[in-house]
Amino acid sequence: PVLILSLQGCGPGQVTLESKLDSKLAGVETIEYIGVALQVSVKGVNRCKDRASSRERINENIRRIGEYTTTAASFLRFFYGLPVKLVALPEYAVTGFPMKESVQEWRDQGCPEQNGPEYEALGKLAQTNNLFLSGNVYEIDPHFPELYFQTCFIIGPNGNVILRYRRLTSCFEPTPHDVWDKYLDIYGEEGVFPVAKTEIGNLGTIASEEILYPEITRCVVMRGAEVILHPTSEPGSAERTIKETCRLARAIENQVFVVSANTATIDDIPIPPYTCSAMSKIVDYNGHILAEAAQGGEAFNSNAVMDIGALRRTRRRTAMANVMSRQPFGIYAKSYADAQYHQPNFLLRDGKVIEPPPREAFRKRQEQNIERLVKAGLL
């Protein structure tokens, strides 16, 4: 509840505190719709014998996603009386994730191309149901044919990809940070932290483990994001996990909705299928969990009314609780600029992209970072 004080006996030309607040909040558009964090199973492509069989499995995963999305859009509209305008898919929902495969092998086996048939199928799904569809894939970028990037995408109701965000942190996979100078030359900073400004609010994305990095969410929110779509594949637990704690923290400290979709199972890989399962959820800008899916399988019951108008009114109130409007970002800038922890351009040599080394080299890089920071007295 918001405390409204009224100044009694105001003379001509004076305005009550209540009317000042009303004037600032007046005209905030009502935007309400159903958002869904779709908890689905993934059949991994790791054991597929060739590219053709891996593409067949990808299509199978997309078909199942399509059935669930279409049913959710119809059923939940009937239940709530509001349209389903946003469906979020889990991390790597169409392929699973690389295990023993080299970067080169996974590039061929598990990476759709930009604007390839996989995106076309997902685009038709969004278009048919008149909604925004977000997800996560490993993707080949024509500017960086030697690599692949883990990519969070948003597809609009017209069937077109309206946002691509590339995961910036990874232990064993190439990221834009590894080819930083060239990536910035091509995409600029707005391409690093993109935000899609749409009729259902300003949408941004982060990938899985990145919920642990407050700066990544903050940089997206500083560019106007109101909803953070968080595709993940993580172990579920009855106890509060570190990612769960961070989901709530990111929502509160940024005054933003977090829509976090987890896998139900990952099948046909040498890991128990329910290892990464459950806890798909929608968190509001106060850190309240609006809906959550239990462990036990596929579900679209992690759905909730997304009230973007209420979020905007909260962000525009003059109040101690309005933390984003009180952020003195400038006082942090030099500390970040001077910190030399994880260095960029690991996969650039004289401005050219190199073929990624075996994954052990990524581990060695982290070991060297730790040794250097210990010597500097920072760890």
Side-chain angles (χ1 to χ4, degrees):
V2 179
L3 178 64
I4 302 295
L5 301 178
S6 181
L7 302 179
Q8 300 297 321
C10 292
Q14 293 179 300
V15 183
T16 65
L17 178 57
E18 182 176 354
S19 65
K20 286 182 179 179
L21 291 172
D22 287 344
S23 67
K24 285 194 296 183
L25 304 180
V28 174
E29 184 180 1
T30 299
I31 303 175
E32 287 186 318
Y33 57 89
I34 305 304
V36 181
L38 188 59
Q39 187 166 287
V40 296
S41 293
V42 182
K43 290 188 177 181
V45 302
N46 309 73
R47 289 174 172 164
C48 294
K49 296 180 179 180
D50 52 33
R51 184 177 176 86
S53 60
S54 71
R55 286 323 187 250
E56 184 178 343
R57 175 149 288 186
I58 289 171
N59 290 335
E60 180 183 351
N61 288 328
I62 292 175
R63 281 195 298 272
R64 190 170 61 259
I65 288 167
E67 290 176 353
Y68 295 155
T69 298
T70 299
T71 302
S74 174
F75 176 81
L76 294 175
R77 177 166 191 143
F78 173 78
F79 185 82
Y80 284 101
L82 287 171
V84 174
K85 298 300 292 183
L86 178 64
V87 172
L89 304 177
E91 186 179 22
Y92 38 72
V94 300
T95 62
F97 61 93
M99 298 182 70
K100 295 181 179 180
E101 296 85 1
S102 68
V103 169
Q104 294 78 12
E105 289 169 338
W106 189 253
R107 201 167 55 207
D108 181 65
Q109 191 169 344
C111 296
E113 296 182 0
Q114 284 188 11
N115 306 316
E118 297 83 6
Y119 278 114
E120 183 177 353
L122 292 168
K124 287 180 180 178
L125 176 60
Q127 193 170 29
T128 299
N129 291 286
N130 191 32
L131 51 75
F132 292 83
L133 181 69
S134 75
N136 177 279
V137 296
Y138 293 96
E139 179 187 76
I140 297 173
D141 184 327
H143 295 292
F144 299 91
E146 305 87 351
L147 312 177
Y148 60 76
F149 295 124
Q150 190 176 357
T151 301
C152 298
F153 63 83
I154 301 174
I155 298 173
N158 61 1
N160 296 332
V161 176
I162 62 171
L163 181 147
R164 275 188 169 94
Y165 164 79
R166 270 62 183 271
R167 177 172 173 165
L168 296 170
T169 62
S170 180
C171 280
F172 304 113
E173 311 296 339
T175 73
H177 189 247
D178 295 322
V179 288
W180 191 239
D181 291 346
K182 183 173 181 179
Y183 198 89
L184 285 179
D185 285 345
I186 295 169
Y187 292 107
E189 287 194 10
E190 293 306 310
V192 176
F193 300 108
V195 173
K197 297 187 176 181
T198 77
E199 64 267 28
I200 67 166
N202 301 336
L203 310 179
T205 65
I206 62 170
S208 190
E209 184 207 25
E210 292 184 329
I211 201 73
L212 305 180
Y213 296 77
E215 295 86 355
I216 295 177
T217 302
R218 179 56 55 78
C219 285
V220 178
V221 172
M222 283 195 294
R223 288 164 172 78
E226 297 166 319
V227 179
I228 296 294
L229 301 164
H230 176 229
T232 188
S233 183
E234 63 187 73
S237 175
E239 301 295 326
R240 178 163 289 180
T241 65
I242 58 173
K243 288 186 180 180
E244 179 66 3
T245 297
C246 289
R247 257 187 291 276
L248 305 183
R250 299 298 86 84
I252 295 167
E253 68 197 10
N254 293 291
Q255 297 175 297
V256 68
F257 284 99
V258 174
V259 181
S260 186
N262 196 16
T263 44
T265 61
I266 305 177
D267 302 314
D268 200 20
I269 63 173
I271 296 175
Y274 287 93
T275 299
C276 292
S277 181
M279 303 196 315
S280 297
K281 61 174 51 65
I282 298 176
V283 184
D284 77 2
Y285 46 90
N286 292 312
H288 298 147
I289 297 173
L290 302 180
E292 179 174 3
Q295 192 164 16
E298 298 176 307
F300 57 64
N301 57 347
S302 48
N303 61 77
V305 175
M306 310 279 289
D307 190 343
I308 303 301
L311 179 148
R312 291 178 179 175
R313 288 190 294 274
T314 296
R315 285 182 167 188
R316 296 179 190 185
R317 288 193 177 105
T318 301
M320 184 182 295
N322 190 349
V323 294
M324 279 299 290
S325 65
R326 299 168 55 225
Q327 275 286 356
F329 289 123
I331 67 176
Y332 318 137
K334 188 175 188 304
S335 294
Y336 277 109
D338 292 345
Q340 300 296 317
Y341 278 58
H342 191 60
Q343 303 298 309
N345 297 320
F346 179 60
L347 298 177
L348 276 185
R349 298 292 183 274
D350 299 322
K352 295 183 178 180
V353 180
I354 64 171
E355 282 282 341
R359 287 193 170 87
E360 183 58 31
F362 289 83
R363 181 185 297 275
K364 184 64 177 177
R365 174 175 59 162
Q366 185 179 13
E367 291 177 355
Q368 292 170 347
N369 282 347
I370 293 170
E371 291 173 3
R372 176 169 50 81
L373 294 169
V374 168
K375 289 179 180 177
L378 297 175
L379 291 182

